[in-house]
Amino acid sequence: MTQAEAKNVNVWYNNFQALKNINLTFEPNTITALIGPSGCGKSTFLRLFNRMNDLIPKFRLEGMVTVNGQNVYSDDVRLDEMRKNVGMVFQKPNPFPKSIFENVAYGLRVNGINNKKILEETVEHSLKQAALWDEVKESLKKSALELSGGQQQRLCIARALAVQPKLILMDEPASALDPISTAKIEELIFELKKTYTILIVTHNLQQAGRISDLTAFLYLGELIEYNHTKKIFLNPDDERTQNYITGRFG
Amino acid sequence: MTVIDNNIEQIKSDLIQMWTLVINQMEKARLALVNGDKNLAREVRMNEKRVDAFELKLDMDSEYVLMLKNPVAIDLRFILSVLKINYNIERIGDYANGIAKVAERLDGPVPEDILQATHLPEMFYTAQNMIHVSLKAFENSERNSVNHLFGMDEKLDKTNNNANAIICKLIQEKPDDIMLILNALSVMRKLERTGDHILNVAEELIYYFDANIVKHSKKNEDF
């Protein structure tokens, strides 16, 4: 079963066409890296899956974007319901100015879950999944803002996991972190694959190589090549892909 | 030109120099053998150290690129191929050195009748041609000429397969020249091994050009 899909997707910002006829499918329990030079449309593409582009003025979409077989741009879709299935992690950690516990519990409370036992169990489970539990279990009431950058990013991942999404979108999740925190995040992403489907935008090609199963190379709004990561990094079919990953343009 | 381009150009240039040196070593070893030129044989043995130095430098420089430059795609295939080509070319340098040692041991040139009976001139020609063709294929990215190497190696194998019969017959005919004949046999073996090493190089070139692994495939297959 396909977890997420983009079918004949075209996107415009006013008159500028940001994505050109993209067709991609994502299978469950895979990590797909979206790579390409700045402005190639990879973040735009990523944000289609939780409709984060909707608020951008003059944004226009043609084509279909589905998660779990449901068209996320369909008129009858409730955004809050849809986003429960699609977690998002951003480049810079963005914890709320609340306690560690309340950050993770936030999504549940928004969805009307206030049962203390359920909240405690979910917070613990999510923090364990995000490989942060052992570091914060004694200080759950501490402000999230007191955590290190790497810990804050894992907290944001725990917050995304708490509502049990199917798809997790990551937009350069480790680019603001030091190598040790980056390694932890990468290890975590690799573990999360067992349960979730992950799309990750990254400018770090070595990171794409280390963690992803599949890689999509976008250039000037077009999908140039989509294949197994090993194939892309050993012998890409398209010369533009080779030029990009070997640093010869972009 | 990117940073890694500079490294790759340097490595390519060093490998071509080493390859050319080994071609010269093999030619000098041949001349030393057929002309009984001990001075030339000694020169080959002295130059063997240069071949070894190239091998070490290429190993180190390739490791450096792997460690610090994160090569991918064609760059990665280039470095992985160079590491193996380097090893094989150095081994051919060893055979040239071994042939030079034989030339040093002999009292004079190998007599013409023994050269002809052992097919050493043809074997030298084929082996040296293979080294030359493989170098040109690498230097100029001549993918098609790599395929010719497989056919050339078959010629060497064919002669080598008859080597025991040839040598037995020669010993029977010239029992007084037994040491000379056994030395000729050792040169035949070295030239046959040279062909094998060039085939290894050919496989690495195919990997570099096409990303195809053809090791352990049937040699006659058209790659």
Side-chain angles (χ1 to χ4, degrees), chain B:
Chain B
M1 196 180 242
T2 62
V3 174
I4 198 170
D5 282 336
N6 292 324
N7 299 108
I8 283 175
E9 282 304 312
Q10 183 61 52
I11 286 172
K12 186 171 180 179
S13 163
D14 286 344
L15 183 55
I16 290 169
Q17 280 188 58
M18 178 195 188
W19 216 314
T20 307
L21 175 61
V22 167
I23 286 173
N24 291 335
Q25 288 281 86
M26 190 58 89
E27 175 60 4
K28 284 177 182 169
R30 183 186 74 81
L31 289 171
L33 191 76
V34 298
N35 297 331
D37 187 338
K38 287 180 193 290
N39 285 335
L40 198 56
R42 233 167 275 135
E43 187 185 324
V44 172
R45 300 202 49 206
M46 293 295 285
N47 275 336
E48 168 63 7
K49 290 187 180 72
R50 286 181 60 207
V51 177
D52 292 348
F54 266 120
E55 186 198 18
L56 292 175
K57 181 173 189 304
L58 282 160
D59 274 352
M60 269 172 48
D61 290 349
S62 300
E63 280 169 14
Y64 170 77
V65 171
L66 283 174
M67 179 173 63
L68 298 178
K69 310 291 174 175
N70 296 304
V72 292
I74 196 163
D75 297 338
L76 176 64
R77 302 203 307 271
F78 175 84
I79 294 296
L80 293 178
S81 301
V82 163
L83 279 169
K84 292 181 187 176
I85 291 171
N86 181 30
Y87 164 78
N88 281 285
I89 298 299
E90 192 278 331
R91 293 294 295 140
I92 294 171
D94 287 345
Y95 293 131
N97 189 49
I99 293 168
K101 275 186 193 170
V102 171
E104 268 191 316
R105 273 201 302 268
L106 298 180
D107 291 331
V110 179
E112 190 60 27
D113 57 342
I114 290 179
L115 281 177
Q116 293 306 325
T118 51
H119 301 281
L120 277 176
E122 297 101 289
M123 288 189 83
F124 265 112
Y125 176 79
T126 306
Q128 289 180 283
N129 199 19
M130 286 178 77
I131 310 172
H132 183 75
V133 168
S134 60
L135 169 60
K136 289 296 151 202
F138 173 77
E139 194 172 2
N140 306 322
S141 298
E142 292 169 5
R143 169 65 182 85
N144 288 338
S145 52
V146 177
N147 287 0
H148 300 316
L149 295 168
F150 293 90
M152 293 161 89
D153 185 56
E154 279 177 13
K155 284 188 194 167
L156 287 177
D157 285 347
K158 206 171 163 185
T159 311
N160 184 58
N161 289 341
N162 294 329
N164 285 352
I166 291 167
I167 296 301
C168 284
K169 189 163 175 272
L170 265 179
I171 289 172
Q172 282 166 353
E173 287 169 6
K174 296 172 169 286
D176 294 341
D177 289 333
I178 189 161
M179 281 312 292
L180 180 62
I181 294 165
L182 288 176
N183 276 318
L185 174 64
S186 111
V187 174
M188 288 174 84
R189 300 292 194 220
K190 287 177 174 59
L191 293 173
E192 189 276 331
R193 290 295 298 142
T194 295
D196 290 345
H197 283 286
I198 289 295
L199 278 204
N200 293 342
V201 169
E203 288 165 356
E204 292 310 316
L205 290 174
I206 290 171
Y207 175 73
Y208 167 47
F209 293 136
D210 302 345
N212 279 341
I213 295 171
V214 296
K215 247 188 274 191
H216 309 307
S217 313
K218 283 183 188 166
K219 284 184 184 173
N220 291 334
E221 221 169 275
D222 185 10
F223 300 120

Side-chain angles (χ1 to χ4, degrees), chain A:
Chain A
M1 184 196 136
T2 299
Q3 189 82 74
E5 185 174 12
K7 224 181 209 174
N8 305 323
V9 163
N10 290 278
V11 167
W12 288 264
Y13 296 120
N14 204 354
N15 292 325
F16 172 71
Q17 186 165 7
L19 291 175
K20 298 170 185 168
N21 198 33
I22 308 284
N23 287 284
L24 274 173
T25 55
F26 305 104
E27 302 303 317
N29 308 112
T30 56
I31 301 172
T32 302
L34 303 171
I35 62 168
S38 297
C40 71
K42 53 194 188 301
S43 288
T44 292
F45 180 76
L46 188 81
R47 289 158 188 248
L48 291 174
F49 290 91
N50 66 350
R51 292 184 55 170
M52 278 196 54
N53 296 319
D54 288 16
L55 295 176
I56 298 174
K58 310 273 185 178
F59 164 79
R60 184 161 63 87
L61 166 79
E62 275 179 13
M64 194 152 78
V65 180
T66 63
V67 175
N68 295 337
Q70 187 189 25
N71 181 356
V72 298
Y73 284 87
S74 155
D75 290 341
D76 57 356
V77 161
R78 278 185 50 196
L79 273 186
D80 52 347
E81 279 296 315
M82 184 273 285
R83 285 181 179 156
K84 270 202 280 183
N85 283 324
V86 187
M88 177 106 190
V89 180
F90 297 87
Q91 183 177 4
K92 282 190 180 169
N94 54 353
F96 302 135
K98 293 171 177 283
S99 70
I100 293 166
F101 184 94
E102 286 304 326
N103 262 276
V104 183
Y106 183 83
L108 298 173
R109 290 202 196 278
V110 164
N111 284 294
I113 300 168
N114 286 304
N115 179 298
K116 197 181 168 205
K117 191 161 179 278
I118 293 175
L119 289 177
E120 283 176 354
E121 281 174 4
T122 306
V123 168
E124 181 177 339
H125 181 66
S126 304
L127 286 168
K128 279 180 177 167
Q129 276 193 304
L132 188 60
W133 175 252
D134 288 340
E135 292 164 53
V136 299
K137 63 186 176 190
E138 306 299 336
S139 51
L140 292 173
K141 289 184 180 168
K142 205 164 90 173
S143 167
L145 302 179
E146 291 176 38
L147 296 173
S148 71
Q151 287 174 323
Q152 287 186 9
Q153 192 63 308
R154 279 179 284 147
L155 180 70
C156 292
I157 293 173
R159 189 175 64 192
L161 300 179
V163 292
Q164 297 183 307
K166 299 286 183 290
L167 181 65
I168 300 177
L169 311 174
M170 296 184 165
D171 198 348
E172 299 192 56
S175 64
L177 304 179
D178 66 47
I180 294 168
S181 300
T182 298
K184 280 187 181 173
I185 294 285
E186 288 181 2
E187 198 181 325
L188 167 61
I189 293 170
F190 204 75
E191 276 300 304
L192 292 176
K193 183 177 85 157
K194 293 173 186 163
T195 317
Y196 307 94
T197 304
I198 298 166
L199 304 190
I200 177 169
V201 165
T202 180
H203 278 294
N204 182 337
L205 297 178
Q206 280 66 50
Q207 181 173 71
R210 283 193 295 267
I211 61 173
S212 69
D213 304 297
L214 294 140
T215 295
F217 171 57
L218 283 87
Y219 183 59
L220 300 175
E222 285 182 65
L223 175 65
I224 305 299
E225 192 164 348
Y226 176 51
N227 215 324
H228 291 282
T229 298
K230 281 180 190 165
K231 163 80 177 151
I232 295 271
F233 282 85
L234 184 63
N235 186 29
D237 288 328
D238 196 289
E239 201 185 348
R240 288 167 293 181
T241 314
Q242 173 148 295
N243 287 340
Y244 179 69
I245 62 173
T246 57
R248 293 189 170 91
F249 81 49

